[in-house]
Amino acid sequence: MSFPLRDTDLRHLWHPYTDATTFEREPYLCIDSAEGVYLFEDGGGELLDGISSWWCVSLGHGHPRIVEAIREQAGDLQHSILGNMSHPRAIQLAERLSQIAPGDLNRVYFASDGSSATEAALKMAVQYWRNVGQPERTRFVSLEQAYHGDTLGAMGAGFVEWFHEPFEHVVRPALRAPSPHYPGNDPEAEARHCDDAFAAMEQLLRAQAKEIAAVIIEPRVQGAAGIWIYPADYLRRLRALCDELDILIIADEIAVGFARTGKMFACETAGIVPDFLCLGKALTGGYLPMSATIARDKIYDAFRGEGDDKRVFWDGHTFCGNPITAAAAIAALDVFAELDLPASCAPHEARIADAFTAVGAMDSVAYQKTLGMIGMCAIREDAGGAPLAREITLAARERGLFLRPLGTSLYLWPPLTATTPELDRMLNIFHESIEACTPAAVAK
Ligand SMILES: Cc1ncc(COP(=O)(O)O)c(C=O)c1O
């Protein structure tokens, strides 16, 4: 697709996660406006947004309530400092978040985006141990192919080889445990795989507990790895083990927080309370960059200076807790409450589960998994793997659905506010596009 600003774009814009050479050669989308579940291209054309615009626009585009809150707040107060000062929107939002966060996650620290929220949690964990007299606890533990952001600290905590390999030697790597995600649909094999993955994690934690500051984990879904969904049981066992060994858990719910997994927070699907909960993306309905690291009371209390500056958390960002972004987040929380999310998603979740069961039976599909408002499938390597997954997303685009593949994984992550006909249309196009691209020679 061509659009009026394309030449200027190619001269001046450095696109994230984009290979300039292929980008310059190929047609690409330029989205000019959006409403509800629809993206409108510059120069015509409309697409259903099958991935909630990088997993954040959970309440649909152009929600009047959120747009109005932003407008109104911009006229009243657009910036104010939070260091040794406060403002009403940050206070109200902190209260609202601690009300909906599980357990005693009551202390809300605002950051700017997902990466700065996970960085804050990692730093808090290290300094917590220093403040309570165990400064030797400085290591992090994460899952293989975990993703916690692209800043240096976050890359070290996670590590998706595909994105982060050039920085391998400048980050401090976390200790890594195998992923509990099982790439298949056999429940017994999945349970065995989860047991094995947990046993490896347990061995690692028991051997090095005294050096470990925290385990950082994406609860229930390793997003960037390829939407790797895994069982709740793993989290329950991890919480029990970390309690026994006195190790902190950082739950990175930047992607899966806010009603995506069938509960408001993915940790709740396992009934666990982490020591830190990192939120971003859908926090403002996906309208403005904002994130939060929510800590349990005991963590916060360990940072009271009591005359000693060195106990204080010296970290902060110019725009943390910004009044406009906070107003957008408060409006988004109002919409979540009014629409009774996630409870009201239950019928949609069932439709996604049914549709992906059918997808899983297709010849070119290796396996499928669903959780709440997420459906994923993996394209068989011997059917075409990642190149075929890319081809399928282009076929979906021609049929009116916007998707982005992650290696061999294809997934649907629709706005929670999609109507039943809109969701059904997405599911139908998803299925049809795989069918249309499956080579005739492929048989399971
Ligand atoms: C689990 C997780 N953590 C952290 C991040 C980083 O968030 P941001 O891109 O806002 O820095 C992401 C982004 O996709 C994510 O999925």
Side-chain angles (χ1 to χ4, degrees), residues 55 113-116 118 147-150 218 223-224 252-255 281:
W55 313 346
D113 51 28
S115 307
S116 55
T118 53
Y147 180 79
H148 299 295
D150 284 339
E218 294 160 88
D252 175 355
E253 296 214 20
I254 304 294
K281 291 195 187 268

Side-chain angles (χ1 to χ4, degrees), residues 108-137:
V108 181
Y109 184 85
F110 289 114
S112 304
D113 51 28
S115 307
S116 55
T118 53
E119 290 270 348
L122 295 165
K123 288 172 69 178
M124 283 173 182
V126 168
Q127 193 175 344
Y128 168 81
W129 288 115
R130 183 177 167 279
N131 286 2
V132 300
Q134 296 189 51
E136 62 288 351
R137 283 184 178 252

Side-chain angles (χ1 to χ4, degrees), residues 318-444:
T318 307
F319 293 102
C320 63
N322 174 271
I324 303 174
T325 58
I330 292 168
L333 289 181
D334 288 342
V335 177
F336 275 101
E338 248 167 47
L339 298 180
D340 194 20
L341 296 166
S344 61
C345 281
H348 278 11
E349 292 169 7
R351 289 183 112 75
I352 292 174
D354 286 349
F356 274 81
T357 303
V359 163
M362 297 174 85
D363 287 339
S364 51
V365 173
Y367 68 93
Q368 60 79 29
K369 286 188 199 289
T370 59
L371 177 66
M373 289 293 287
I374 308 170
M376 71 77 68
C377 70
I379 299 301
R380 279 170 47 195
E381 287 291 355
D382 62 353
L388 180 58
R390 264 199 307 280
E391 202 185 306
I392 294 167
T393 58
L394 293 178
R397 204 173 284 184
E398 276 167 23
R399 289 166 170 75
L401 173 64
F402 176 58
L403 299 175
R404 276 170 74 94
L406 274 167
T408 57
S409 297
L410 285 172
Y411 65 94
L412 196 67
W413 190 294
L416 307 174
T417 48
T419 61
T420 305
E422 287 165 348
L423 179 65
D424 284 349
R425 198 161 155 239
M426 292 190 207
L427 292 166
N428 288 339
I429 296 177
F430 195 97
H431 194 286
E432 275 167 32
S433 307
I434 299 178
E435 207 162 51
C437 297
T438 299
V442 172
K444 271 196 173 167

